[in-house]
């Protein structure tokens, strides 16, 4: 960072574990740099200072990337970003030095020496941070969501999130970061039985950077490759490889030593290397609870150290903690009423910053009500892990072991698991069990009981409640084998929606149209086990999907926060569909049923806090799809659309207040229209199709507001990077089931002055309806074909729906070309209708801007 007085400070050095060629956002990174000599580090410091001065950055931060040849010491500058960057968030969380906050102060004229350090309250920002711990960041990937794309890491960033961990050593922070990733691992292996790959498979995995290479390193060492061999194959520094080899030696020792034979000293050393109780239990053939009990009986418990920006040279006044295994803890005593909030862990598809929003608002509301808030999270990208969001911050993995350790250290009155998405929800039952068994702990889980959450997740228990309440759901069944699935599918008739019973973000969810499709799904797409049965539901074709968010208090009063009508029809994952508040086409009867069922179900489940329910409406028939008695990803959208801070209301309800006391007694239906649209990363994943379906793929969302639906939708599309045309040529290609249904859309576009072109089948239907349509060839029919027209900029809008569950190769190549040439494309009939409405609004008048507060007055 540099100020107007030419003061320059180096905030943090961050080293990539992967060598050059892997985008830094996709690499495991470590702070501070571990393998540089003092001389090499000073050269980089000096070069950085020269560069920031030469470029002329006068008020703010810069990110400068170097490559260093470990054999010759040659240094090359790769790039310089004269702004805050992705690594600024990581550096800020790693050091406790808030780069963006201080950059804003420098921009209005402060110098570094005039800005006080929030954490020490004694030193100014001109003091360079010094850290006496190691920080490891590991990216989170979602290649399984994008079939056709190769899981190979290159200079194009592909990760969808990241987890960060702090420890006294690289080994400790690496293992903590790996168990923070929410991929089911408890550390660097030693947590499950595994079949080793062949040596040739391992060599191939080491040569090509990929998301699982960190575990390929482990397999290589297990198969007898030396660290020198691995270095030759990967280019990963020998220092890192030596530390990993050391972890494997500790694991071998654990596997030949019974649990009760481990001395306190040895257990201290093992925990200092980052081994979790679950890993120790696996290695010693015992149980995680037994390891915990034995460890505590020996007095081996974590200490919590403060992130203080100055290596403990000055006292820290901001309680920002990480755990390590040492004797002295730095947790400050407190007599105030304390509440712990569990965050969402790393961002991934299906669980993003929407849950971070809920956690932050919960903290703000509780602080305003004079509670001391304790935030636990492992995601450096979020506001919840800012040291000034909550009274106390624990940068820790969200596992049973780590959360219980913090509960024992802090003794909070309550723990909130409803706001962090699936991550803390998975801990609900194990935490409830542990808290009820430990009489020394007075902590309780606030809000809806873990049992009620379990009822909503358990298909058979949930169905019984719906039956009792007279609430309809699509015909369905549970299959634990292919034969069972075939019987159910034939009974309820195709098409059916199939999915594993434990999914997040629609993972491995498909619409199946035949016995053949079902057999392929059950034999190749998913693993079918008695513990993980497959859910099969009748797919309601051409139904409208509806999301409802509601709040319920301890008295049973329920208030609906918002009813969102999806623009894409049922079958597109709710996280990928555009949606509108208020509903724009639902009948009064359907809305009345939705409101009635929402109240009944919330009361029956004894919800205390937030609840999200998804419905499908076909005509005036309403069906319930699923219910989640927790915060959902729609809460921020509903809150911004209605002006009601749902998360703040919900957390106060969980703390014991009633909705009447809070003045929230009826649903707010805004006079304006808000449209949420999903944002997709398809351009990052070459080879994958851009089709929308039951599996969620969006990585973000935007919102458009106006008093007119068309303009609100147009604003949302523009914000999502889709610049809708006001005129030009529309290419239409529909599947057989939707050819007739697209005629009204095509007529409207023709009336708006668009030229229509279509492939033979669709063209015939449109011409039979009296529309002038030019023929364009499919790719396999010869040239010039539709992709030539796209490349020649002759097409300005594409409406293309595939046939059934599988898209033809022609359709896939059309959609990829449209993506490459940035041509707005809709792959659903409902999306085409909304797009046409938006274009009509854009033609009739220009869009205007207005502050959100002006809409909510």
């Amino acid at each position: 960072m540099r100020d107007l007085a030419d003061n320059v400070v180096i905030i943090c050095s961050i080293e990539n574990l992967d060598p050059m060629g892997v985008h830094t956002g996709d690499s495991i990174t470590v702070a501070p740099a571990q393998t540089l000599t003092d001389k090499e580090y000073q050269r980089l410091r000096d070069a950085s200072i020269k560069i920031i001065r030469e470029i002329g950055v006068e008020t703010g931060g810069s990110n400068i990337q170097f490559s260093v040849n470990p054999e010759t010491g040659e240094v090359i500058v790769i790039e310089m970003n004269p702004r805050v960057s992705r690594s600024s968030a990581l550096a800020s969380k790693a050091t406790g030095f808030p780069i963006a906050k201080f950059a804003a102060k420098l921009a209005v004229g402060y110098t570094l020496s005039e800005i006080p350090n929030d954490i020490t309250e004694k030193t100014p920002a001109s003091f360079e941070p010094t850290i006496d711990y190691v920080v490891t960041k590991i990216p989170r990937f979602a290649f399984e969501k994008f079939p056709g794309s190769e899981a190979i890491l290159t200079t194009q960033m592909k990760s969808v999130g990241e987890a960060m961990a702090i420890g006294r050593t690289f080994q400790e922070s690496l293992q903590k970061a790996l168990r923070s990733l929410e991929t089911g691992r408890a550390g660097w292996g030693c947590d499950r039985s595994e079949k080793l790959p062949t040596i040739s498979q391992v060599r191939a995995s080491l040569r090509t950077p990929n998301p699982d290479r960190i575990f390929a390193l482990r397999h290589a060492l297990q198969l007898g490759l030396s660290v020198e061999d691995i270095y030759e194959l990967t280019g990963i520094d020998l220092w890192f490889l030596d530390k990993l080899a050391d972890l494997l030696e500790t694991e071998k020792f654990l596997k030949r030593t019974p649990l009760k034979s481990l001395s306190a000293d040895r257990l201290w050393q093992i925990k200092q290397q980052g081994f979790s109780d679950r890993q120790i239990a696996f290695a010693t053939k015992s149980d995680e609870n037994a390891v915990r009990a034995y460890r505590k009986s020996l007095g081996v418990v974590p200490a919590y150290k403060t992130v203080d920006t100055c290596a403990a040279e000055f006292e820290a006044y901001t309680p920002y903690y990480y755990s390590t295994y040492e004797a002295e803890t730095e947790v400050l005593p407190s007599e105030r009423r304390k509440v712990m909030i569990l965050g969402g862990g790393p961002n991934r598809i299906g669980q993003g910053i929407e849950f971070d929003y809920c956690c932050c608002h919960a903290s703000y509301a509780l602080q305003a009500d004079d509670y001391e808030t304790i935030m636990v999270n492992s995601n450096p990208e979020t506001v919840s892990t800012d040291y000034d969001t909550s009274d106390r911050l624990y940068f820790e993995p969200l596992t049973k072991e780590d959360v219980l350790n913090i509960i024992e250290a802090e003794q909070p009155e309550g723990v909130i698991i409803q706001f962090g998405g699936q991550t803390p929800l998975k801990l609900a039952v194990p935490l409830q069990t542990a808290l009820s068994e430990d009489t020394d702990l007075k902590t309780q889980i606030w809000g809806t009981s873990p049992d009620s959450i379990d009822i909503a997740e358990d298909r058979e228990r949930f169905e019984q409640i719906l039956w009792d309440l007279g609430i309809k759901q699509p015909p369905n069944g549970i299959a634990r084998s292919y034969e069972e699935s075939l019987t159910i599918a034939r009974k309820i008739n195709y098409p059916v929606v199939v999915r594993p019973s434990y999914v997040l973000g629609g993972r491995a969810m498909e619409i199946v149209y035949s016995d053949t499709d079902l057999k392929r799904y059950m034999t190749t797409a998913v693993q079918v086990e008695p513990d993980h049965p497959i859910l099969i539901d009748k797919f309601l074709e051409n139904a409208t999907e509806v999301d409802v968010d509601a709040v319920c208090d301890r008295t049973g009063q329920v208030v609906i926060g918002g009813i969102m009508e999806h623009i894409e029809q049922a079958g597109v994952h709710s996280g990928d569909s555009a949606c509108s508040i208020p509903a724009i086409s639902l009948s009064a009867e359907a809305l009345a049923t939705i409101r009635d069922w929402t109240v009944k179900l919330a009361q029956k489940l004894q919800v205390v806090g937030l609840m999200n329910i998804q419905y499908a409406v076909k005509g005036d028939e309403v069906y319930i799809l699923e219910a989640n008695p927790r915060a959902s990803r729609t809460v921020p959208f509903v809150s911004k659309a209605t002006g009601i801070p749902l998360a703040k209301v919900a957390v106060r309800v969980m703390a014991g207040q009633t909705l009447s006391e809070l003045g929230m007694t009826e649903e707010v239906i805004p006079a304006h229209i808000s449209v949420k649209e999903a944002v997709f990363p398809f351009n990052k994943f070459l080879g994958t199709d851009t089709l929308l379906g039951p599996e969620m793929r969006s990585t973000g969302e935007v919102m458009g507001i106006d008093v007119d639906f068309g303009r609100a939708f147009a604003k949302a599309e523009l914000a999502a990077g889709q610049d809708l045309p006001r005129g030009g040529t529309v290419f239409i290609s529909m599947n057989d089931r939707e050819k007739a249904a697209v005629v009204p859309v095509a007529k409207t576009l023709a009336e708006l002055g668009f030229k229509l072109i279509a492939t033979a089948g669709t063209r015939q239907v449109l011409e039979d309806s009296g529309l002038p349509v030019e023929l364009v060839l499919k790719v396999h029919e010869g040239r010039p074909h539709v992709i030539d027209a796209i490349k020649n900029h002759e097409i300005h809008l594409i409406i293309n729906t595939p046939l059934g569950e599988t898209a033809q190769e022609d359709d896939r190549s059309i959609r990829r070309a449209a993506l490459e040439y940035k041509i707005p494309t809709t792959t659903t009939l409902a999306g085409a209708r909304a797009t046409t409405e938006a274009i009509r609004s854009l033609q009739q008048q220009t869009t205007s801007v207005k502050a959100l507060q002006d809409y909510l007055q």
Side-chain angles (χ1 to χ4, degrees):
M1 296 193 80
R2 180 171 181 244
D3 65 17
L4 283 164
D6 196 28
N7 298 306
V8 182
V9 290
I10 306 295
I11 310 305
C12 190
S13 64
I14 303 174
E15 178 173 5
N16 288 20
L17 183 132
D18 294 291
M20 287 288 295
V22 177
H23 192 286
T24 188
D26 283 355
S27 177
I28 296 174
T29 61
V30 186
Q34 301 291 301
T35 70
L36 298 178
T37 64
D38 283 346
K39 187 175 180 181
E40 285 172 330
Y41 177 57
Q42 289 304 324
R43 284 180 67 197
L44 298 189
R45 278 180 57 92
D46 293 345
S48 299
I49 292 167
K50 285 179 183 175
I51 290 168
I52 198 169
R53 284 179 170 149
E54 181 64 28
I55 295 295
V57 175
E58 293 181 330
T59 59
S62 292
N63 166 257
I64 305 169
Q65 295 179 30
F66 298 94
S67 72
V68 180
N69 187 323
E71 293 173 7
T72 65
E74 181 188 13
V75 174
I76 295 175
V77 181
I78 303 166
E79 67 172 312
M80 185 268 197
N81 297 306
R83 53 169 171 78
V84 292
S85 67
R86 179 186 320 98
S87 55
S88 304
L90 181 69
S92 297
K93 303 297 165 76
T95 59
F97 190 102
I99 292 170
K101 180 177 178 180
F102 288 177
K105 290 193 173 186
L106 294 177
V108 297
Y110 284 92
T111 62
L112 286 162
S113 58
E114 293 171 333
I115 302 172
N117 181 315
D118 295 347
I119 285 182
T120 64
E121 296 182 4
K122 289 187 177 72
T123 59
S126 51
F127 273 53
E128 290 193 356
T130 308
I131 58 180
D132 53 358
Y133 46 79
V134 179
V135 175
T136 301
K137 174 221 81 180
I138 305 182
R140 171 76 192 248
F141 297 93
F143 284 100
E144 73 280 0
K145 296 276 189 180
F146 301 96
S149 63
E150 289 186 288
I152 292 173
L153 306 183
T154 65
T155 51
Q156 166 74 70
M157 183 174 164
K158 298 186 179 85
S159 66
V160 295
E162 61 192 37
M164 180 188 114
I166 309 175
R168 283 295 207 191
T169 65
F170 165 68
Q171 293 169 324
E172 184 179 35
S173 69
L174 175 76
Q175 295 228 74
K176 285 173 72 176
L178 283 166
R179 70 174 183 261
S180 297
L181 271 184
E182 295 293 318
T183 55
R185 304 310 301 254
W188 190 59
C190 191
D191 55 1
R192 62 177 68 169
S193 299
E194 53 186 344
K195 184 183 176 184
L196 285 176
T198 65
I199 194 77
S200 60
Q201 287 172 326
V202 167
R203 286 181 182 276
S205 189
L206 292 177
R207 283 192 188 98
T208 306
N210 63 81
D212 296 320
R213 186 156 72 163
I214 186 69
F215 292 105
L217 298 174
R218 171 186 167 79
H219 297 150
L221 290 166
Q222 287 174 306
L223 289 168
L225 267 68
S226 68
V227 292
E228 288 77 15
D229 293 335
I230 298 170
Y231 171 71
E232 290 300 321
L233 288 164
T234 63
I236 294 172
D237 197 281
L238 289 166
W239 186 90
F240 291 117
L241 298 175
D242 273 330
K243 296 298 180 189
L244 293 175
D246 189 37
L247 285 178
L248 205 55
E249 289 306 309
T250 301
E251 182 182 328
K252 289 175 185 173
F253 166 78
L254 274 171
K255 284 180 174 174
R256 61 176 184 264
T257 310
L259 177 64
K260 295 297 174 73
S261 298
L262 292 171
S263 67
D265 285 346
R266 193 63 172 142
L267 206 47
W268 277 109
Q269 291 167 9
I270 291 164
K271 296 300 283 185
Q272 283 165 353
Q273 288 184 300
F275 281 90
S276 63
D277 289 351
R278 196 175 122 203
Q279 288 172 292
I280 297 170
F282 175 81
T284 58
K285 297 183 176 61
S286 55
D287 171 75
E288 183 179 349
N289 291 335
V291 173
R292 181 179 185 82
Y294 179 64
R295 173 171 62 72
K296 288 172 66 179
S297 73
L298 296 178
V300 181
V301 294
Y304 291 95
K305 298 294 183 182
T306 311
V307 172
D308 54 23
T309 77
C310 59
E313 217 175 304
F314 294 89
E315 188 178 349
Y317 290 91
T318 300
Y320 170 12
Y321 299 117
Y322 66 95
S323 69
T324 191
Y325 277 80
E326 294 179 5
E328 187 182 348
T329 191
E330 296 172 3
V331 174
L332 299 169
S334 169
E335 297 303 316
R336 292 174 62 197
R337 297 180 72 186
K338 292 190 277 191
V339 182
M340 180 187 289
I341 302 163
L342 301 186
N347 288 355
R348 57 260 201 213
I349 292 174
Q351 181 158 324
I353 56 170
E354 307 95 337
F355 294 107
D356 189 65
Y357 166 97
C358 293
C359 291
C360 290
H361 277 245
S363 183
Y364 301 150
L366 289 169
Q367 283 174 315
D369 291 351
D370 205 30
Y371 286 93
E372 187 168 27
T373 56
I374 302 163
M375 186 69 70
V376 184
N377 203 359
S378 59
N379 186 341
E381 303 173 289
T382 58
V383 179
S384 66
T385 51
D386 286 351
Y387 62 75
D388 52 0
T389 293
S390 299
D391 294 300
R392 295 172 180 233
L393 168 64
Y394 284 82
F395 218 110
E396 290 292 293
L398 288 145
T399 68
K400 174 184 158 185
E401 174 188 348
D402 296 288
V403 170
L404 279 176
N405 286 341
I406 301 167
I407 288 174
E408 287 172 353
E410 286 282 5
Q411 301 281 334
E413 186 178 320
V415 177
I416 293 174
I417 61 170
Q418 268 191 35
F419 288 174
Q422 208 65 30
T423 300
L425 280 185
K426 285 189 297 189
L427 295 175
V429 174
L431 274 184
Q432 182 71 59
T433 304
L435 292 173
S436 60
E437 289 173 354
D438 192 333
T439 53
D440 293 334
L441 294 175
K442 302 292 184 267
T443 304
Q444 294 185 325
I445 294 176
W446 276 13
T448 308
S449 71
D451 186 57
S452 288
I453 292 169
D454 188 57
I455 289 172
E457 298 272 338
D458 186 315
R459 174 60 67 100
E460 284 148 334
R461 294 177 75 191
F462 186 56
E463 272 189 13
Q464 185 58 52
I465 280 185
L466 297 183
W467 180 263
D468 294 343
L469 294 173
I471 294 175
K472 278 191 293 189
Q473 63 179 152
N476 63 76
I478 301 176
R480 290 178 169 83
S481 67
Y482 166 63
E483 291 73 23
E484 281 185 26
S485 72
L486 201 59
T487 303
I488 294 164
R490 286 174 174 173
K491 180 182 173 185
I492 65 180
N493 295 324
Y494 292 104
V496 295
V497 180
V498 288
R499 62 190 169 106
S501 58
Y502 52 91
V503 298
L504 172 74
R507 177 74 197 106
M509 189 189 276
E510 277 188 30
I511 300 170
V512 166
Y513 290 83
S514 65
D515 288 354
T516 308
D517 282 346
L518 184 64
K519 185 170 186 179
R520 176 196 55 76
Y521 180 86
M522 295 295 285
T523 53
T524 63
V526 293
Q527 183 180 15
V528 187
E529 303 170 2
D531 291 344
H532 293 148
I534 299 300
L535 308 182
I536 302 175
D537 295 87
K538 173 69 180 169
F539 174 53
L540 302 171
E541 291 190 274
N542 299 316
T544 299
E545 198 163 325
V546 179
D547 254 289
V548 180
D549 279 334
V551 186
C552 185
D553 66 20
R554 58 186 164 82
T555 69
Q557 184 175 5
V558 181
V559 175
I560 289 174
I563 297 176
M564 291 151 275
E565 179 180 342
H566 290 214
I567 289 161
E568 278 81 16
Q569 65 270 33
V572 173
H573 191 281
S574 60
D576 285 356
S577 174
C579 66
S580 165
I581 294 179
I584 50 173
S585 71
L586 299 180
S587 68
E589 292 80 4
L591 287 169
T593 302
I594 286 168
R595 291 186 171 103
D596 179 50
W597 288 0
T598 299
V599 172
K600 283 180 177 174
L601 191 55
Q603 290 171 340
K604 184 72 173 177
L605 287 171
Q606 297 180 321
V607 171
V608 179
L610 285 164
M611 181 175 199
N612 171 266
I613 306 179
Q614 290 173 28
Y615 296 97
V617 181
K618 195 166 184 178
D620 282 336
E621 289 289 305
V622 179
Y623 300 87
I624 192 165
L625 299 178
E626 64 175 288
N628 295 300
R630 56 168 172 83
S632 73
R633 79 175 64 81
T634 51
V635 167
F637 171 57
V638 174
S639 299
K640 290 178 171 67
T642 62
I644 304 298
L646 284 182
K648 287 182 176 177
V649 170
V651 80
R652 289 187 163 118
V653 159
M654 293 159 76
Q657 296 183 61
T658 65
L659 288 167
S660 296
E661 289 168 353
L662 294 168
M664 184 176 171
T665 54
E666 57 185 41
E667 177 186 352
V668 172
I669 301 174
H672 57 277
I673 291 172
S674 301
V675 173
K676 179 217 85 175
E677 179 59 290
V679 178
F680 301 91
F682 291 125
N683 59 334
K684 307 278 187 185
F685 296 92
L686 299 178
T688 195
D689 202 345
T690 62
L691 270 184
L692 303 182
E695 174 131 7
M696 183 174 168
R697 290 167 166 191
S698 69
T699 50
E701 60 191 40
V702 295
M703 175 172 156
I705 313 177
D706 212 297
V707 292
D708 168 80
F709 171 76
R711 286 201 301 277
F713 185 78
K715 287 178 177 179
E717 292 303 298
L718 188 61
Q722 295 267 49
D723 192 1
L724 299 180
R726 274 66 164 177
T729 301
V730 182
F731 166 68
I732 304 174
S733 179
M734 309 298 287
N735 67 53
D736 289 339
R737 292 196 311 276
E738 294 180 322
K739 280 185 170 68
V742 82
V743 171
V745 173
K747 279 185 175 175
T748 303
L749 287 166
E751 288 165 7
L752 294 172
F754 283 85
K755 175 184 169 185
L756 305 180
I757 63 171
T759 47
T762 306
R763 180 186 183 227
Q764 186 66 53
V765 173
L766 296 177
E767 280 195 326
D768 289 348
S769 302
L771 288 167
V773 189
E774 285 187 16
L775 176 68
V776 64
L777 298 178
K778 292 182 178 179
V779 176
H780 69 270
E781 293 174 337
R783 305 186 78 157
H785 49 56
V786 60
I787 292 181
D788 292 325
I790 290 171
K791 290 178 177 178
N792 293 334
H793 305 284
E794 294 165 4
I795 295 174
H796 306 96
L797 177 67
I798 294 174
I799 300 171
N800 170 235
T801 65
L803 178 63
E805 185 266 324
T806 53
Q808 293 175 350
E809 199 54 43
D810 266 11
D811 285 349
R812 180 194 292 265
S813 57
I814 289 166
R815 289 188 290 270
R816 285 302 310 184
L819 182 71
E820 190 177 338
Y821 285 86
K822 297 183 169 55
I823 298 171
T825 303
T826 177
T827 60
T828 65
L829 184 59
R833 292 190 189 107
T835 299
T836 304
E837 194 71 26
I839 290 170
R840 187 206 302 275
S841 293
L842 289 173
Q843 282 188 356
Q844 287 173 351
Q845 64 183 101
T846 56
T847 55
S848 58
V849 295
K850 203 158 81 167
L852 178 63
Q853 290 85 344
D854 294 335
Y855 281 107
L856 298 173
Q857 281 177 356

